[in-house]
Amino acid sequence: MMGFVIGVFAIAGMIKGTIGLGLPAVSMGLLSLVISPFQAATLLIIPSMVTNFWQLFAEGNVWRLVCRFYPLLLGIIVGSIWSIFPTLGHSHGSFHSEALLGAMLALYGLYGLFAKRMPNLAPHEKWLSPIIGYLGGALTVATGVVVIPVVPYLQSLHLKRDDLVQSLGLAFTVSTICLAVFLHQNPVEDTPIDYKLSLIALIPSLLGMWVGTKIRHRIPEQKFRKVFFCGLVIFGLYSVLHQFGVL
């Protein structure tokens, strides 16, 4: 089990180092093949927190971004407390977190393939931010992944490169904190949070990110992104169809 976890986080870290995204999504997708989404999410806590802090504080002006995006951040907090979706470790009727995770991965893949075509939503930022934040927070405690709709929304604001990277780090950091609090307060019976294994997972994550930065300079980034995100779409759709007994 430990060897599998190390391998997953090494791959996920490498992908994040190469394209700047993907650590939670890839880790959740692969880990959920052998353990529950709740267990997978608990292993993400420390690697996600450390890498997100790194991303957030790599540059200055953090407070300026907090002042701008506080409606988004408040929305994330509210959504993680009062989620409209089935949450990790709990099912409602015939709908489970595994199916929602698969849908999120497929949407993430589609976002990656068509991100450059995003419209400019900056003129609507004032009223959109709390709505997007709420949906992001609600989906975080439902899937363990904060991607849709926060990532494409921030991309659509046409921020400068450094501001975009830091803004993503800010949203990821708040979402990870909310997820950690949720997992701690809503444990699943016989599924304790394994902080030790989560800490161990940090090492391959960081090593993978380092390798990913090396890979980034050796292969065409756009080619890698296309293959990676196509794979996420296929895997996500398979997860959804399998969950509902289609495959």
Side-chain angles (χ1 to χ4, degrees), residues 94 99 238-247:
S94 61
Y238 172 82
S239 298
V240 173
L241 295 175
H242 183 265
Q243 181 65 43
F244 289 105
V246 178
L247 294 176

Side-chain angles (χ1 to χ4, degrees), residues 119-132 153 157:
N120 184 6
L121 298 180
H124 311 290
E125 179 182 342
K126 189 172 184 179
W127 64 270
L128 270 179
S129 282
I131 297 174
I132 297 297
Y153 170 67
L157 297 181

